[in-house]
Every structure is written in structure tokens, then in C-alpha cells.
Amino acid sequence: MRVELITTGSELLLGQIVNTNSAYMAAKLNNMGFDVLYQTTVGDNYDRMRDVIKNALLRSDIIITTGGLGPTQGDITKYVCAEITGHQMIKHQQSLEQMNIHFVKRNIPMTDNNMRQILVPESSYVLMNHNGIAPGIVQEYNNKYIINLPGPPREMKDMFERELRPFLQNKFGFSQVIQSQVLNTFDIGESLLETKIKDLILAQKNPTLALLVRPSGVIIRVTAKGNDFSDTEKIIEPVKQEIYRRIGEYIYAENDENMETVTGNMLKQKKLTIACAESCTGGLLTSRLTDIQGSSDYVMGSVVSYSNKVKMEQLQVPQEVLQIKGAVSEETAEFMAQGVRKNLHTDIGVGITGIAGPDGGTDDKPVGLVYIAVAGQGKTTVSRNLFSGKRHEIKYRATQKALNMIRLYLTQNMS
Amino acid sequence: MRVELITTGSELLLGQIVNTNSAYMAAKLNNMGFDVLYQTTVGDNYDRMRDVIKNALLRSDIIITTGGLGPTQGDITKYVCAEITGHQMIKHQQSLEQMNIHFVKRNIPMTDNNMRQILVPESSYVLMNHNGIAPGIVQEYNNKYIINLPGPPREMKDMFERELRPFLQNKFGFSQVIQSQVLNTFDIGESLLETKIKDLILAQKNPTLALLVRPSGVIIRVTAKGNDFSDTEKIIEPVKQEIYRRIGEYIYAENDENMETVTGNMLKQKKLTIACAESCTGGLLTSRLTDIQGSSDYVMGSVVSYSNKVKMEQLQVPQEVLQIKGAVSEETAEFMAQGVRKNLHTDIGVGITGIAGPDGGTDDKPVGLVYIAVAGQGKTTVSRNLFSGKRHEIKYRATQKALNMIRLYLTQNMS
């Protein structure tokens, strides 16, 4: 089945937002075995949108639009599609009820234009919106399908997974599948990684290997084609094992699992608690740790100590250390980690102090210099790091390194 | 002049990379006064690419492709375009010399396939590549223009600025410019906002108004066309003033300015300091405050109090309050705000406590319930909120609300 994705919205044509919906849907649809052959973007202009959809009907079997299902006058996508299929608009009862509950629950007055959102072409198949109001729409037309999804990525993704995917599976089944597995590495560069597995990259046709640089580290993507997922897994597995054999010590997780999940799971399994003392990361490390559901089991709390006074009063970093070694020093990081561990009565304490920039750097202590300490019973490990990038990138990289240090500390000292 | 952007490359159709080239070019071209009406993505398939370009020639005056100028067999864009215009390929002497220097300088052997990169259709205008090898190409065809740019964003952007922009300016002059200004609102829904300015949206042709939902709140985009930017500003200004007159209390910033910048600037100007006590947001509020350069002037620090023990010991929330009213209550939020303000010796203290989910909700206190308190000298304000979304969305929304409450507190109580 040939699929065409049509994203609508003048904000895309004006370049004010980047189109992430197309990449999301393309990846998912390819995994399901569909061929996504075209992606088109058009503005909220009735005639041009109609021509684009008509043109898509000439070359594709399934047309999926995103955007233009909201309550405003600029939201025209479903009207354009209903004109093409020749259907009248009718109220969708289930969406209407859901919308009423939505407004009552939030105690917001419902304005008239909201009624536009729950209109659908008659005899269409409706995709419920579990994260918003406007439902999605599937229309069959001359043995082809015109499908409308909402534009906000949160609503679109949820509707794709929970409503559209089952519909498509039911309708078309699976022919061939493509599966990708991802190995997430940390603390190894792209070039060195490539050197170590270059022969695998060059030799393989199925699976194929790709290295991609991400803010979290370099990832290795292994992609296989097969008749079903058990087939693709058999193709991927030996290559994965060979990669683990060569550079396994750099791999901290697979697929969507991130560093905060891995580290959090280890804390949970070992029944250990943690607290952080953050200076230059400003709370980001604790925020990442608490992004994980159930993290209240092991995160007791943290102290963000931006000022020296807070470092002294809340973490008992000695004044002499701050004066002689400086706020950004190995010693301060250690005292911070030990202080927060003691005050918040946890098994593990983490201390981070550095210069996030763009100001505040000197020749001795440049922007990007960050000391990270992990303290447990008896032993404290410290690292000196020089991160590059903008302020928020330095913050993020410092937290990624800290999470990896916690992970290694737990593996080496607390097993 | 109607412009169509065509991005090529199977990695886009597979959803492996997000298309950022289109947004970049669209923003630049709109500012130059061109109308970008369509964006299309097609894979590295000869026939489909030819059909897409031919279709673009029917509806657009200028067609700009990106991608497919490299050395591999999959790089076909310029061959497809040369077939359409009926031109032979010839070597481009200047690019050939540049390529030779490139390889000598890096001491890399030049492989044969690199010669493909410096071929251009005869009688084309060549855009030099200052960041790579493959030159860009401009072909005139039936009073229209087919333009090929390289795919890597770094090469494309540089070529756009240094080569294509002067070419287009020289060819078309600046006929008209388009300018957008954005008003960022908070705490008002899309529908209610539309109701309040619907007549402006419907009446206006220049400027046009659009409402867009962002995680940070709804934004109002005012876009004007004019002969130059002083012209467009004159067109935008009265409409902006009318919007401020009607819903000004909801507008917290314009254009790229975000809530943490606005709030931070106010703290800096008023020479006030701040500390936060965060429970369900886990440090995210302080992290956002410290994303701003120079925030160490006003952020002293924070306490993340995930456990009740930390709330009691580090913030002096009374045990009775936690037992009787609960950790998620108006009273706890107040005590947290006042406690952190006192302990960290700041002018402002903020307390946030709630249920980020997905577990932990009850009928009385559902997931998404968040109390936020802002304490200053004498007065504490509290809000009860029910946020929807996933865990990280609830966290983000709570911080956005907290920042807005700080902003309002500073305006109303500290001026």
C-alpha cells in the first residue's frame, strides 16, 4: 500500500515550526510494512489543500493528513476532505459527550466554536481523541482511504497508537515488517565506535547498521527486514551479540530506555535511596531522576545550592574549602555529595558543581568545567569533566555523566 | 513568486531524520517576500522524483530541492532535473579544483565516485559549496527556476545565505517582505481566546491572525506583508494594540521570549532573590529558572522535597499538617514556600506539591492535582490546579503556572 502523508498548517510553510509529525508517522508506518512514498505540506488554504489531496489520490492508496481539526476558522482539513468524498457533516455523539465532560471537569465555559471540533463526515469511521477534543476521521473513497489526524504531536501520536494502528492492522494485516533495535552508548565517540565495528557496517545488507549522534551519546541502530518480528529478531540477534562482545562496556541501555530509567531501576532493585546536591545543573539531575514513574521510592529529595551560602548552610561545605579550592573544585563536589547524603539520610549522595556559562569562565576554570561526585558508605568517586556546548547543553551533559557515574557506582560498589 | 520546496531522500520517508531544511528555508524565503506554498518530500526514486518536480512546475514559479547531490548512486536529484530541462552534464571546473584541494589538504585518497559530485547541467548557474564538495545548481526553464541545494543542513544553510540569497535578490529584488510577530499568552484557552478576537481574525487580510496551541500556552501570530520591515511594523502595531486592549492580561511576552526569561528579568530588575521548594516537579522549576544566563544573581537555591521527612526536616512543614491535610494540600504548599524562603534567606519562596502520576491518584486527590504557593514578605498566594497529560507534561505545566504566579506576584506585590 502506497501511503502519502500530508501535513497542513501555515505555520509549517512560514517555517515557524519544524514538521516532526511526518517523521514520527513515517517511521511507524514503515515498521508496519507500508511504503511511505510522499510527504506534502500545504497551508490552511481551501483550494490548494483540495488540489494537494486530489493529487495524492492519483498516486497513493492511503492519505493521512495531520492538522486543521481544531475549533477555529483556520481549521479546514476535514471540510476539504468531506467535499472530496461528497459527505455531509454530522455531530459525533461520543466525542460530544467527551467534550462536555472535559469542560465540566475543568469548569471552563464552552464556547460555540468548540462544536466545530466534534463534526465528522457521515459514514466515516471515527478515531477517538484520548488527549484532546477533536476526533480523527477515516473515510473510504474509491477503494482508497483518506485519514485525518489532529496536529498537536501529543494528540496525534496517541491517536496513531491507540486508534489508527489497530484500524490499519485489522484492514491490511502485515506483509513484510521492518524492525530496528537501538543500542545506546555513552562515553565513546562516533569515530572510535565506527573503527571498532566498521567491518560489520560494511559487510551487512540485512540487518543494516547505522551510527547516529544524539545528545545522550552515540546510538547504534540495527535494522532488519523479515516476514514477521520473530524473523527480524533472529536476523538482528547475532549482530547485536557481536557488537556487545566488542564494545559492550559502553552500552548502557537498548531502544527507548534512557539513562534515568536504567539508573532508577538499579536503585529500586537494590532498595537504595538517593539525594542530589546540584549547583550548575540547577535541579536538572533531580528532575530527570523524577521523570520516572515510581521514583518517589528512591529519590528522597535534593538541594540546589546555587549560592555559596546555601552550600555552606544546607550542605556544610566548609568555608575554607570554598575559599581555598573554590566553589568549582573536586573538594566542593565531594563535600556536596557527602553533605546531602548525610542531611537527607540516603544511601547515595551526588554532588555537581561547575560553570555552565556563557559567563564566569577563567583560564584556570573555563566554561564547561564540571566536577561530579558520587558518595556512598565509605567511598566517594569524583570526575573532572570539560563539556562543550551552550548553557543548556552543558547542563544536560553534566546530568548524563552524573547518571552514568551513579550507574557504575551501583554496579561496582553496591552489588 | 510561488515557491515549492522539495526535500529528497529515503531517510526522510523512513522517518529516520526530521526534516529541518524545509522550516529553515521557508522562514528565510518568507522574510524575503516569497510565498512558500508547498513543501514536498520524495525518496531517491527516479520516476517518482521526476513526477514530483514536473507537478511542482505546474503550480510554482521557483522550485528548490535539497539533497541528492552527493557521490553515491542514490544521489540522483540533478540528473532528474537535467532530464527535465534537456541539458547534458559537464564538469564544473571551479568545483573540480576546489575538490582536488580538499582531498590533498586532508591527505585522503579521492575515489572515482567523487567526480559525480562536480558535474552540473550545461548552461546552469552554479552555487559554490563553501562547506563541502557538491555545488548547487540553478536552471532556468520556461520562465521558471529549478534550484538544487545539498542536503546536509550545514552545507545547505551556508549556500543559501552566501550564494542563493544574493542570486535571488539580484534576480527578483525585494518586492515584498513578510513579518510575523508573536504574542505569548498563558491561562486562557484557544476557544475563549478566539471568541474574544474572532472579529479581528475574520476581518483582517493584512495582517493575518492565527492562534496556535503550544505546551507553554496559546500563541497569537500576527503576520503582515509590506514593502519593507518598517512598513510591516506599521501594519502590525495597531492590531497588536487592539489585542493587548482586549486580552492584555493574558500576554506575558512577545516573540521568542519565554516565561523563565520574563520572570528572571523582573527578579533581576527588582533586585530580588528566589528559592523554590519542589515536590512533584522534582527540580524542574529551578532548572528552568537557571536555564537563563546570569540567573545566579537571583536564584539562591532550592530544596527538592520528595519525601515527607525532607519536607519536615529541610522545610519545617509541621507533621500535623502532613498528617491532617496531607502532603498534597494548600497548607503544605504554603509551608514549603515559607520554609524555603526562610531557610535560604530569599525575598521570594515558591512551594509546589502535587501528584504527577500515573500512580498515586485518588478520587479526592486525582493525578494532575498540584498546589502552588508563592510567599514574600507578609503575603502568600496559593493556587489549586488540575493539569492533564503525562507525568512530564504535568511537571512542565506546573512549572509554567508557577513561573506565571511569580511574575504576577512581583507585579502586584513587589512594585
Side-chain angles (χ1 to χ4, degrees):
Chain A
M1 304 297 288
R2 295 163 303 173
V3 178
E4 177 152 355
L5 305 178
I6 300 177
T7 44
T8 70
S10 301
E11 65 277 18
L12 292 164
L13 291 182
L14 289 169
Q16 292 176 337
I17 58 171
V18 169
N19 174 9
T20 56
N21 281 350
S22 289
Y24 177 88
M25 288 193 293
K28 299 286 177 180
L29 290 161
N30 273 292
N31 268 345
M32 292 171 74
F34 292 101
D35 282 324
V36 178
L37 297 186
Y38 306 95
Q39 299 169 359
T40 309
T41 302
V42 65
D44 306 318
N45 172 290
Y46 203 95
D47 293 337
R48 284 196 287 269
M49 194 186 292
R50 187 187 52 215
D51 292 347
V52 160
I53 294 170
K54 282 189 168 173
N55 189 43
L57 284 166
L58 298 176
R59 61 191 182 187
S60 306
D61 304 304
I62 300 174
I63 292 139
I64 306 179
T65 71
T66 56
L69 301 185
T72 76
Q73 298 297 320
D75 293 306
I76 57 171
T77 310
K78 65 186 169 191
Y79 300 98
V80 171
C81 295
E83 187 204 303
I84 291 172
T85 60
H87 285 301
Q88 296 294 312
M89 286 296 190
I90 54 168
K91 283 180 192 170
H92 184 245
Q93 198 55 35
Q94 202 184 335
S95 297
L96 175 61
E97 285 159 19
Q98 193 189 284
M99 179 169 74
N100 284 329
I101 293 168
H102 175 92
F103 280 98
V104 168
K105 218 168 145 188
R106 281 166 186 73
N107 198 21
I108 321 173
M110 193 175 89
T111 49
D112 281 351
N113 49 8
N114 276 297
M115 291 304 289
R116 283 172 60 99
Q117 294 198 76
I118 53 98
L119 296 178
V120 300
E122 57 182 351
S123 70
S124 58
Y125 177 84
V126 174
L127 308 168
M128 290 304 291
N129 189 335
H130 303 276
N131 274 297
I133 293 170
I137 295 159
V138 180
Q139 293 192 81
E140 207 175 330
Y141 177 66
N142 293 346
N143 293 321
K144 302 195 167 192
Y145 290 87
I146 304 176
I147 300 168
N148 308 126
L149 299 181
R154 197 172 76 95
E155 297 179 30
M156 182 279 290
K157 289 179 186 177
D158 184 81
M159 189 181 287
F160 188 96
E161 287 306 320
R162 287 165 71 173
E163 299 278 330
L164 184 56
R165 180 190 289 275
F167 173 85
L168 292 174
Q169 280 175 352
N170 187 32
K171 211 76 181 178
F172 303 102
F174 284 117
S175 45
Q176 257 217 328
V177 300
I178 298 179
Q179 190 191 12
S180 284
Q181 289 204 28
V182 171
L183 304 176
N184 302 310
T185 75
F186 186 72
D187 249 353
I188 181 170
E190 188 186 18
S191 315
L192 181 57
L193 197 49
E194 194 187 40
T195 311
K196 290 191 183 268
I197 61 170
K198 193 163 189 175
D199 56 320
L200 300 177
I201 296 174
L202 292 176
Q204 304 287 340
K205 286 271 175 214
N206 189 21
T208 58
L209 288 183
L211 300 183
L212 303 161
V213 179
R214 294 280 181 271
S216 59
V218 182
I219 66 170
I220 306 168
R221 195 184 56 220
V222 190
T223 307
K225 266 194 193 196
N227 295 322
D228 53 38
F229 285 116
S230 106
D231 202 21
T232 51
E233 267 168 31
K234 266 180 227 143
I235 296 166
I236 289 172
E237 195 52 35
V239 178
K240 241 175 76 175
Q241 278 179 17
E242 179 59 23
I243 297 171
Y244 266 98
R245 202 185 60 72
R246 297 193 192 180
I247 53 114
E249 73 260 42
Y250 298 104
I251 300 170
Y252 64 88
E254 296 187 6
N255 301 318
D256 289 336
E257 209 173 43
N258 57 25
M259 195 76 95
E260 47 269 45
T261 308
V262 175
T263 308
N265 284 344
M266 287 175 77
L267 288 163
K268 200 166 198 162
Q269 275 163 20
K270 292 171 189 282
K271 296 190 195 301
L272 298 172
T273 57
I274 193 166
C276 311
E278 304 190 47
S279 186
C280 64
T281 48
L284 184 61
L285 174 60
T286 316
S287 182
R288 287 185 66 186
L289 280 167
T290 59
D291 276 345
I292 307 305
Q293 171 183 359
S295 51
S296 53
D297 285 356
Y298 47 88
V299 178
M300 293 301 105
S302 286
V303 172
V304 179
S305 55
Y306 235 51
S307 74
N308 276 353
K309 200 169 180 181
V310 173
K311 289 187 186 76
M312 290 187 285
E313 289 188 4
Q314 304 292 320
L315 298 166
Q316 290 79 54
V317 180
Q319 190 162 15
E320 315 84 76
V321 168
L322 292 171
Q323 276 166 357
I324 297 165
K325 301 289 181 177
V328 178
S329 66
E330 198 176 305
E331 290 78 4
T332 300
E334 283 184 351
F335 274 108
M336 286 170 67
Q338 290 160 0
V340 80
R341 177 176 178 273
K342 179 160 170 273
N343 292 354
L344 271 60
H345 319 289
T346 56
D347 299 302
I348 305 288
V350 185
I352 306 182
T353 181
I355 300 155
D359 305 325
T362 62
D363 282 354
D364 259 17
K365 298 189 175 177
V367 168
L369 176 67
V370 181
Y371 290 95
I372 305 173
V374 179
Q377 201 173 10
K379 197 187 161 186
T380 303
T381 60
V382 199
S383 71
R384 179 188 189 278
N385 307 277
L386 198 54
F387 299 113
S388 61
K390 295 189 178 155
R391 187 174 173 86
H392 71 273
E393 290 166 325
I394 290 171
K395 282 179 68 176
Y396 175 81
R397 284 173 185 160
T399 61
Q400 185 75 352
K401 173 78 182 199
L403 288 167
N404 196 51
M405 282 177 68
I406 301 165
R407 182 178 77 86
L408 295 175
Y409 191 97
L410 295 174
T411 313
Q412 290 155 11
N413 300 306
M414 315 285 284
S415 51
Chain B
M1 304 298 286
R2 295 163 303 173
V3 178
E4 177 152 357
L5 305 178
I6 300 177
T7 43
T8 70
S10 300
E11 66 278 19
L12 291 165
L13 291 180
L14 289 168
Q16 293 174 340
I17 59 170
V18 169
N19 174 9
T20 56
N21 281 351
S22 289
Y24 178 86
M25 288 192 293
K28 298 288 178 181
L29 290 162
N30 273 291
N31 269 343
M32 290 171 74
F34 292 101
D35 281 325
V36 178
L37 297 185
Y38 307 94
Q39 299 170 358
T40 309
T41 300
V42 65
D44 306 318
N45 173 289
Y46 204 94
D47 293 339
R48 283 196 287 271
M49 194 186 291
R50 187 186 51 213
D51 292 347
V52 160
I53 293 170
K54 282 190 168 173
N55 189 43
L57 283 166
L58 299 175
R59 61 191 183 188
S60 306
D61 305 304
I62 300 174
I63 292 138
I64 307 180
T65 71
T66 55
L69 302 185
T72 76
Q73 297 299 316
D75 293 305
I76 57 171
T77 310
K78 65 186 170 192
Y79 302 97
V80 171
C81 294
E83 186 203 304
I84 291 172
T85 60
H87 285 301
Q88 297 294 310
M89 286 297 191
I90 54 169
K91 284 182 191 169
H92 184 245
Q93 198 54 37
Q94 202 186 336
S95 295
L96 175 60
E97 286 159 18
Q98 194 190 282
M99 179 169 74
N100 285 330
I101 294 169
H102 174 93
F103 280 99
V104 169
K105 223 168 143 184
R106 281 166 186 74
N107 198 21
I108 321 172
M110 195 174 86
T111 49
D112 282 350
N113 52 7
N114 277 296
M115 289 304 288
R116 284 173 59 99
Q117 295 198 78
I118 53 97
L119 296 178
V120 299
E122 56 182 349
S123 70
S124 59
Y125 177 86
V126 175
L127 308 168
M128 290 305 291
N129 189 336
H130 303 276
N131 274 297
I133 293 170
I137 295 159
V138 180
Q139 294 192 81
E140 206 173 332
Y141 177 66
N142 293 346
N143 293 319
K144 301 194 168 193
Y145 289 87
I146 305 176
I147 300 169
N148 308 128
L149 299 181
R154 204 170 72 94
E155 296 179 31
M156 181 280 289
K157 288 179 186 176
D158 184 81
M159 190 182 288
F160 187 95
E161 288 304 321
R162 286 165 71 173
E163 299 278 330
L164 183 56
R165 180 190 287 275
F167 173 84
L168 292 173
Q169 280 176 354
N170 186 34
K171 211 73 179 175
F172 302 103
F174 275 122
S175 46
Q176 275 209 315
V177 300
I178 296 181
Q179 190 192 11
S180 283
Q181 290 204 25
V182 171
L183 305 176
N184 301 312
T185 74
F186 186 72
D187 247 354
I188 181 169
E190 187 187 17
S191 312
L192 183 58
L193 196 49
E194 193 192 37
T195 309
K196 290 193 184 266
I197 60 169
K198 192 166 187 176
D199 56 318
L200 300 177
I201 296 174
L202 292 177
Q204 303 287 342
K205 287 275 173 205
N206 189 20
T208 57
L209 289 183
L211 301 182
L212 302 161
V213 180
R214 294 280 181 277
S216 58
V218 182
I219 67 171
I220 306 168
R221 191 185 60 218
V222 190
T223 307
K225 270 193 190 192
N227 295 323
D228 53 39
F229 286 116
S230 104
D231 201 21
T232 51
E233 269 169 30
K234 267 181 225 142
I235 295 166
I236 290 172
E237 195 51 36
V239 178
K240 242 175 76 175
Q241 279 179 16
E242 179 60 21
I243 297 171
Y244 266 97
R245 202 185 60 73
R246 296 192 192 180
I247 53 115
E249 73 260 40
Y250 299 103
I251 300 171
Y252 64 87
E254 295 187 6
N255 301 317
D256 289 338
E257 208 172 44
N258 59 22
M259 195 78 94
E260 47 270 46
T261 308
V262 174
T263 308
N265 284 343
M266 286 175 77
L267 288 163
K268 198 165 200 167
Q269 274 161 20
K270 291 171 191 283
K271 297 190 192 302
L272 297 172
T273 57
I274 193 166
C276 312
E278 305 190 46
S279 186
C280 62
T281 48
L284 184 60
L285 175 60
T286 315
S287 183
R288 287 185 65 185
L289 279 169
T290 59
D291 276 345
I292 308 304
Q293 172 186 357
S295 51
S296 53
D297 284 355
Y298 47 87
V299 177
M300 294 302 105
S302 285
V303 172
V304 179
S305 55
Y306 235 49
S307 74
N308 277 353
K309 200 168 181 182
V310 174
K311 289 188 187 74
M312 288 188 287
E313 290 189 3
Q314 303 293 321
L315 299 165
Q316 289 78 53
V317 180
Q319 189 162 18
E320 314 85 75
V321 168
L322 292 171
Q323 277 167 357
I324 296 164
K325 301 290 180 174
V328 178
S329 65
E330 198 176 306
E331 290 78 2
T332 299
E334 284 183 351
F335 274 108
M336 287 170 66
Q338 290 159 0
V340 80
R341 177 176 178 271
K342 180 159 168 276
N343 293 353
L344 271 61
H345 320 290
T346 56
D347 299 302
I348 305 289
V350 185
I352 306 182
T353 181
I355 300 155
D359 305 324
T362 62
D363 282 354
D364 259 17
K365 298 188 176 179
V367 167
L369 177 66
V370 180
Y371 291 94
I372 304 172
V374 178
Q377 200 174 10
K379 198 187 160 187
T380 303
T381 59
V382 199
S383 71
R384 179 187 188 277
N385 308 277
L386 197 55
F387 299 113
S388 60
K390 296 191 174 151
R391 188 174 173 86
H392 70 273
E393 292 166 324
I394 290 171
K395 282 179 68 177
Y396 175 80
R397 283 171 186 165
T399 61
Q400 185 75 352
K401 173 78 180 197
L403 288 168
N404 195 52
M405 282 178 67
I406 301 165
R407 182 179 75 87
L408 295 175
Y409 191 96
L410 294 175
T411 312
Q412 290 156 11
N413 301 306
M414 315 286 284
S415 50

